[in-house]
Amino acid sequence: MRVKTVQINWHDKQPIFSVDFDHNYDNAQHGGWRFATGGGDNNVRMWRLRSPIERETDPNVPAVEFLASLNRHTAPVNVVRFSPCSSRLASAGDDGVIIIWRQVDDAHLAGRTDQLDDVTGDVETWRPAAMLRGSLADICDLAWSPDGAFVVSASVDNTARIWDARDARCVQVLADHSHYVQGVAWDPRGEFIATQGSDRSLRVYRWVAGSAREVRTGSDVAKLAASHYSMPTSEGRRQRLFHDDNLVSFFRRPSVSPDGRLLATAAGVQRAANGRNVCYVWARDQLRSEPVLRLGGLAKPVVATRWAPCEFEARGETCGDAWAANAPRMMLAVASQSAVSVYDTEVAGRAVGVMDGLHYAAITDLAWTNDGSHLLIVSIDGFASVASLDHSACALPLRRAAPPPEPQSNEQPEPTVVIPAQPVPSKSGSRKRLAPTLLSTL
């Protein structure tokens, strides 16, 4: 495992709050991997991570190439997420607006570095396809449905909202949390949604709607299936599962494995000799029960979890008990505020790699390439690190759902603005963003 901090001006020395790879990017045509970052400078930026062959051919060329700057947000961008079945991008932040972006083909710009914009230097052209308004509070996290038809958002107004990304409308408000909702995840099978909040709870909702065409505004498309606050101990008492709102973090990002069997959560806490901080993992068929795994030994609280979006060929042997019976080999990255641990589902009880001391400030998000060969880590200090993982097995093809049909139009559509009913008021008062201090540069 090799790790390098890329020393470029990502977001004008402002914090980087989120990162995500475009798993539908044409690697064969362009080479490398396209990804997006969201930062404290109110911008979304597109980049291309060059392939190992490109980097080895010319070591003097930067590992990352700038592609475009998307400038429509009016406040820091907390989350960027690509659709799982297309190259549409959803971004959201402190302005409470979700913007759905799409790339615009431009004969003068696409793929031609000699025709760059003289001012911005953009290689690609991106335009808003929709703007979703309805929450007057900051949005911390987003997740797409596996077919790319819906988006779920997490907000500090104590709600999670489900949006129809095609018609640009809010179809349901989930108001079961009593404090900030800081993380969301959508099951790759499309059957449940997980939310995490600073009220020390994990909530799992079951998707009960039929086809996307049958979903109506105000209808209950998701119903609460399970809530987790605490679990019994060996002494007969109950212990809390997650940190309270004193945890200094804007994010608690859960994630679901690519086969949908395992749900990894953030901000776990336990009473154990090997450390207080832990990542709890639930099994799909035991979402109402206690977690099946505890990934401990972490010095600081977990802020984000991310599964590699692919499965790997089994090595034929396991170290200890496998995570789940007859489960494929998968990789999970767990980011605490100071380190990133990588777990292999064929190796039980311990991480196969730990990356510590990469950044001077707290880690905020992480993302995998579609083949699981590279892991990108971003931080409040305004820098990003790239980890290259040497797998002893090959990645299997990524399974994707069919994308929803695009509206037929010969003209560039104007951004759609939707204002649903009045948002649920916050029960915890206003929130003040803590201004991070850049201690040093790398």
Side-chain angles (χ1 to χ4, degrees):
M1 182 182 298
R2 295 171 294 176
V3 186
K4 180 181 180 181
T5 300
V6 183
Q7 302 183 38
I8 64 175
N9 189 6
W10 292 92
H11 283 270
D12 298 329
K13 297 183 180 181
Q14 295 297 310
I16 307 175
F17 292 119
S18 185
V19 62
D20 196 37
F21 277 99
D22 179 5
H23 295 153
N24 296 277
Y25 186 63
D26 191 347
N27 304 73
Q29 178 181 356
H30 304 284
W33 302 271
R34 180 167 62 190
F35 65 94
T37 57
D41 60 348
N42 307 351
N43 296 327
V44 176
R45 290 185 175 173
M46 292 288 182
W47 313 85
R48 184 177 73 91
L49 176 63
R50 289 187 167 93
S51 65
I53 297 178
E54 291 180 89
R55 300 197 296 263
E56 293 172 1
T57 302
D58 189 355
N60 296 323
V61 175
V64 174
E65 175 191 7
F66 172 75
L67 297 180
S69 184
L70 287 56
N71 314 312
R72 286 296 184 92
H73 286 283
T74 59
V77 180
N78 295 326
V79 57
V80 290
R81 292 291 183 263
F82 280 100
S83 169
C85 54
S86 69
S87 290
R88 289 184 303 165
L89 176 73
S91 63
D94 286 0
D95 56 8
V97 179
I98 303 173
I99 302 180
I100 308 294
W101 303 86
R102 71 172 185 174
Q103 186 179 1
V104 179
D105 293 332
D106 192 325
H108 298 287
L109 293 177
R112 296 184 58 185
T113 58
D114 60 333
Q115 297 291 331
L116 296 179
D117 187 292
D118 293 335
V119 178
T120 64
D122 289 3
V123 179
E124 299 177 344
T125 304
W126 290 74
R127 295 287 184 266
M131 298 181 70
L132 313 180
R133 303 177 187 270
S135 172
L136 300 180
D138 309 1
I139 295 176
C140 298
D141 204 13
L142 294 172
W144 287 85
S145 63
D147 61 357
F150 299 93
V151 174
V152 60
S153 62
S155 176
V156 299
D157 63 359
N158 307 350
T159 68
R161 296 170 183 267
I162 300 175
W163 305 82
D164 189 323
R166 302 162 308 160
D167 297 337
R169 57 192 174 97
C170 179
V171 296
Q172 186 176 357
V173 179
L174 308 175
D176 296 292
H177 284 277
S178 60
H179 213 274
Y180 306 151
V181 185
Q182 297 180 307
V184 290
W186 206 307
D187 167 32
R189 302 183 190 178
E191 296 179 3
F192 68 83
I193 299 170
T195 63
Q196 276 199 260
S198 54
D199 58 356
R200 311 183 76 168
S201 72
L202 164 72
R203 299 184 185 273
V204 180
Y205 297 85
R206 183 165 298 279
W207 184 260
V208 296
S211 64
R213 296 181 179 179
E214 299 175 359
V215 174
R216 299 179 180 179
T217 302
S219 61
D220 289 339
V221 297
K223 293 186 177 180
L224 185 63
S227 298
H228 294 283
Y229 296 91
S230 61
M231 65 179 180
T233 64
S234 57
E235 294 83 9
R237 303 177 181 178
R238 299 193 68 84
Q239 72 168 31
R240 288 285 190 175
L241 288 170
F242 305 103
H243 282 277
D244 59 20
D245 57 356
N246 290 319
L247 174 61
V248 184
S249 176
F250 299 116
F251 314 111
R252 306 184 185 211
R253 306 188 197 267
S255 63
V256 186
S257 61
D259 67 345
R261 293 191 182 189
L262 299 171
L263 168 64
T265 59
V269 64
Q270 66 174 354
R271 299 174 184 174
N274 65 337
R276 184 168 183 258
N277 301 299
V278 64
C279 169
Y280 289 112
V281 180
W282 270 266
R284 181 186 193 85
D285 56 351
Q286 301 179 44
L287 289 175
R288 295 178 178 270
S289 305
E290 299 175 16
V292 295
L293 286 173
R294 306 179 191 182
L295 307 177
L298 304 168
K300 292 188 177 181
V302 176
V303 295
T305 64
R306 204 71 180 267
W307 291 89
C310 55
E311 301 170 359
F312 299 89
E313 292 182 356
R315 294 177 298 183
E317 57 182 10
T318 58
C319 300
D321 296 331
W323 287 30
N326 301 320
R329 184 186 178 197
M330 298 175 290
M331 296 284 180
L332 169 66
V334 176
S336 69
Q337 292 177 327
S338 60
V340 175
S341 302
V342 178
Y343 296 87
D344 187 334
T345 57
E346 285 190 344
V347 180
R350 63 181 178 85
V352 296
V354 178
M355 295 164 280
D356 200 353
L358 297 176
H359 297 273
Y360 290 108
I363 295 170
T364 54
D365 201 5
L366 65 173
W368 293 86
T369 56
N370 57 350
D371 61 354
S373 62
H374 292 76
L375 177 67
L376 197 58
I377 306 160
V378 296
S379 167
I380 286 179
D381 65 7
F383 287 93
S385 298
V386 180
S388 177
L389 279 69
D390 299 324
H391 294 308
S392 59
C394 298
L396 300 175
L398 178 64
R399 297 189 296 268
R400 300 187 182 96
E406 294 286 347
Q408 298 294 327
S409 176
N410 296 325
E411 299 181 355
Q412 178 71 19
E414 292 295 327
T416 304
V417 179
V418 174
I419 304 180
Q422 292 294 326
V424 178
S426 172
K427 303 174 185 177
S428 305
S430 60
R431 185 192 69 159
K432 183 178 180 181
R433 173 177 286 276
L434 300 176
T437 301
L438 183 64
L439 301 179
S440 177
T441 57
L442 297 178

